[in-house]
Structure formats: structure tokens, C-alpha cells
Amino acid sequence: SEYKPIDISIIPTSCLLEESIVGSSDSAFASFVRTLSASGWLSQGHKAYQHQAGKKCPYCQQDLPDTFETDLASCFDEQYKKSVAELEQFVAAYKASLNAIHTLLTENGKNPFTCELLSEYKTKFDLFMERAQNNVALLKQKTDDPAKTVILPDLSDILLDINSVIEQINAKIKEYNAVIDARGRKQQDCIAQVWQLMAFVCRSEIAVHKSGKDRHATDIERLSGELSKAKEDSDAL
């Protein structure tokens, strides 16, 4: 069977990666957090330690004000939560598309057909995986700190290169399958080519044989004439 090409369009894009996702509240605490660009750090710390730290700050151990939860909520308004949810959905879709491409390329690699292009296919496959893993690491940075801006390197160039190799491999598979489909005719062609090769390799021996055959034919013709004359003479006697 032929290799399956990659559908590059399945990789999603999002403008959220290059946006700093922060709350829009105008409270003093929210403004303070935005000034420090600490919303991601604050959100991570709160999720990790809110059930363990009690009423103390898990970092400096000072008592938290009674309004802390309210102040914290002001940093993450509804628009912030909506953007974060959209970001998480995008990241999940992006990872799913990479996993689908990885599965397809791995299945292609199990194809029993062999040719000189397989090493190039593997090299480009490994390069894609390396770049994909780097992009996943960048996405993790963005989800850990939504306020951080991230630019994902485009993977379409390496995927187009892989598709080009797949196209070349498939062309060879088609040639191979055409030979198998026309096995009977190809066997006759092979026999004819073998005879042609033997004639070429043995051309000097064949030339000597033909020369000797022509010489012997002349001798046979001469001797046959002499034999006929001898019979005539014998009959006359």
C-alpha cells in the first residue's frame, strides 16, 4: 500500500498566543498585579497552595488580608477566564493534531516497502518531532503564564518536505505494483531480455560458430556434389 500524506490544515492557529491575557479589572490589587506582570505566577501559586497555606501567604508566610480572595478574583474577571478557557481548548486541539500526524507518520514507517528514500523520510520525521516538542514546550509556558506572549514556529515547511518525500516513495510503490500487476507479461519480457543478454555476452562465440557453420555448409555442398558424381560413375560401370 502507498504512504498516506499529511493534511497540514489540521494544525490549528490562535491569535491568543501573541496576546497578553490579563484581567481587565481596575481594582488597586489587579492593577498592581498587572504592573508586575505577575498574574500567571499568582494563579499558579494560588492553585498549588490555597488548600495548604491556610490564611498565610505560602511565599512570605505573612497573614493574608480578609479581602484576599476578593482581591484575587478581581485579577481574573470573566473575560480573563474566557480567554484562558479558549487558550486551553486551542492547546488541546494543537496537541491532538500533532499526535495525529505522529501516528500517521509512524504507521507509514511500518510499510514493508523498501527504497533509498526511507533514510530521508526518517531524518525529516525526527526533525518534525523535535520541532513539535519545542512548540509543545512553548505552549506550556503560555498556559502556565497566560500573560506571556508566545510565537510558535511554523511547522508547515517541514511537513511539506515530508509530503514531498512521501510523494516520491509512492511513485516508486506505483512502479513496483505495476510490475506485480503485469507479472505474466513481465515474465515474458524478462525471458526475452535474458536471451538478449546471453546473445550479447556470447557474441564472439556465436560469430565463430556461424563462420564454422558457413564453412562446413560449403564443404558439405562440395562433398555432396562429389558423392553424386561418384554414384553416377558407379552406375555407369
Side-chain angles (χ1 to χ4, degrees):
S1 58
E2 296 181 17
Y3 279 41
K4 294 180 180 179
I6 305 164
D7 180 6
I8 300 175
S9 66
I10 68 172
I11 299 180
T13 58
S14 174
C15 60
L16 288 173
L17 298 179
E18 299 179 28
E19 295 179 4
S20 179
I21 301 177
V22 294
S24 58
S25 172
D26 56 359
S27 70
F29 186 72
S31 299
F32 171 70
V33 171
R34 280 199 301 274
T35 301
L36 295 180
S37 297
S39 58
W41 173 82
L42 182 62
S43 176
Q44 291 177 51
H46 188 256
K47 289 179 182 178
Y49 303 116
Q50 64 175 322
H51 300 299
Q52 303 175 23
K55 294 185 178 182
K56 290 183 177 292
C57 171
Y59 299 106
C60 66
Q61 294 299 301
Q62 295 187 53
D63 292 335
L64 294 173
D66 295 336
T67 60
F68 176 73
E69 290 295 335
T70 302
D71 293 338
L72 182 66
S74 70
C75 298
F76 310 112
D77 55 16
E78 290 304 316
Q79 182 57 46
Y80 176 89
K81 294 177 181 178
K82 180 181 178 182
S83 296
V84 169
E86 291 177 358
L87 174 64
E88 291 174 348
Q89 290 175 1
F90 164 75
V91 171
Y94 190 91
K95 289 181 178 180
S97 69
L98 294 184
N99 287 333
I101 293 174
H102 174 268
T103 299
L104 182 146
L105 295 178
T106 300
E107 288 301 314
N108 281 345
K110 296 178 182 179
N111 193 307
F113 182 77
T114 59
C115 68
E116 69 280 2
L117 292 167
L118 296 187
S119 59
E120 183 179 359
Y121 178 86
K122 184 180 185 305
T123 298
K124 292 187 181 298
F125 183 8
D126 292 342
L127 178 58
F128 161 74
M129 289 304 304
E130 179 182 345
R131 292 174 59 177
Q133 290 168 0
N134 289 337
N135 280 8
V136 170
L138 289 174
L139 290 177
K140 185 177 186 307
Q141 294 178 21
K142 178 66 174 178
T143 53
D144 287 346
D145 185 1
K148 183 175 183 178
T149 59
V150 168
I151 298 178
L152 284 185
D154 190 3
L155 299 178
S156 60
D157 55 343
I158 181 62
L159 293 179
L160 287 173
D161 286 346
I162 295 176
N163 271 347
S164 176
V165 177
I166 289 176
E167 185 177 352
Q168 296 176 60
I169 293 175
N170 284 344
K172 291 184 175 295
I173 291 177
K174 289 177 181 177
E175 292 177 2
Y176 174 82
N177 287 340
V179 172
I180 299 301
D181 292 340
R183 181 177 300 173
R185 179 173 57 80
K186 291 294 183 180
Q187 284 177 338
Q188 296 304 315
D189 291 345
C190 182
I191 291 172
Q193 290 174 11
V194 169
W195 279 112
Q196 291 173 6
L197 175 63
M198 291 175 65
F200 176 78
V201 172
C202 302
R203 62 190 183 281
S204 59
E205 288 83 353
I206 293 174
V208 171
H209 172 74
K210 286 184 176 180
S211 176
K213 184 178 180 181
D214 292 343
R215 185 176 65 255
H216 295 325
T218 301
D219 292 342
I220 290 172
E221 184 178 0
R222 177 178 56 77
L223 291 173
S224 294
E226 292 179 1
L227 179 60
S228 296
K229 180 64 171 62
K231 285 184 177 181
E232 291 175 0
D233 292 345
S234 175
D235 291 343
L237 290 173

